[in-house]
Amino acid sequence: MFRNQYDTDVTTWSPAGRLFQVEYAMEAVKQGSAAIGLRSKTHVVLACVNKANSELSSHQKKIFKVDNHIGVAIAGLTADGRVLSRYMRSECINYNYTYESPLPVGRLVVQLADKAQVCTQRSWKRPYGVGLLVAGLDESGAHLYYNCPSGNYFEYQAFAIGSRSQAAKTYLERRFENFVGSSREDLIKDALIATRESLQGEKLRSSVCTIAVVGVGEPFHILDQETVQQLIDTFEIVKEEEAAPAEEEAQPAAEQDAPTDPGAAAADQGGGAAAVDQGGSPMDI
């Protein structure tokens, strides 16, 4: 992991043209708890995993409200995330005071990226070790941005950051084409399923995840635990109800396929052997 004399200073380039201190900050984002974002034409949903340091401590807050139309979810160093969210909140207040209108989401993201870039070019500073998913709604529609510690920013239809986020990304990549026309409830459902994928076997409960929503006619707010738990229970009930009829249909089909005549069973086995001899597999469909 260490690169000898090339990783002692953020302003020192390696012979390969890399800034290792910036890469270490990006690695800190991968070590943080997962954060997920999805957007449609009218709504943006943020979800994050609440991870406590021990069973005796509470989890740290991972989703912050910036303004009525903007919120962020973070992965990485929570302290850095609090500082950046406070900066974003200040920029929104100043813009609203000066122009008497909400700050466009894209302009705020650029200002945040410029602030992160300065820390990659000053020897007495260090890069912010946090990645931010910025969700917002302005005159041009719903937006979801990812701000990187390197100063880069990208707009996404859906994205996941943090530890064990690859499973959530795989789910989002399979479903993202449907997100544009999705309703608010469908977005929340997909966000919860993606969060469950990132847990990798751990049961999804309202105590281990946080959901926030912003949309047309709906200011940014975090859903309470009771509402989230009701949504989780509803989705799991639907899943069980879908699995039950499938089992009931499989049992009569198995009874019908079972041979009643031993001679017929022997003939079936002979036919299967013939199929194998001819180079085909009896399992081919």
Side-chain angles (χ1 to χ4, degrees), residues 47-48 50 185 188-196 199 202-211 223-240:
C48 70
N50 302 329
E185 288 71 21
I188 295 177
K189 178 179 179 180
D190 286 322
L192 287 171
I193 295 175
T195 304
R196 184 186 64 189
L199 294 176
E202 183 180 350
K203 185 177 180 181
L204 179 64
R205 304 184 305 275
S206 61
S207 59
V208 300
C209 68
T210 303
I211 304 293
L223 302 182
D224 58 77
Q225 285 194 357
E226 294 181 359
T227 303
V228 174
Q229 188 60 50
Q230 291 176 359
L231 293 170
I232 293 173
D233 294 339
T234 302
F235 299 150
E236 290 183 350
I237 289 173
V238 170
K239 184 178 179 182
E240 292 175 358

Side-chain angles (χ1 to χ4, degrees), residues 262-276:
D268 290 341
Q269 291 178 359
V276 174

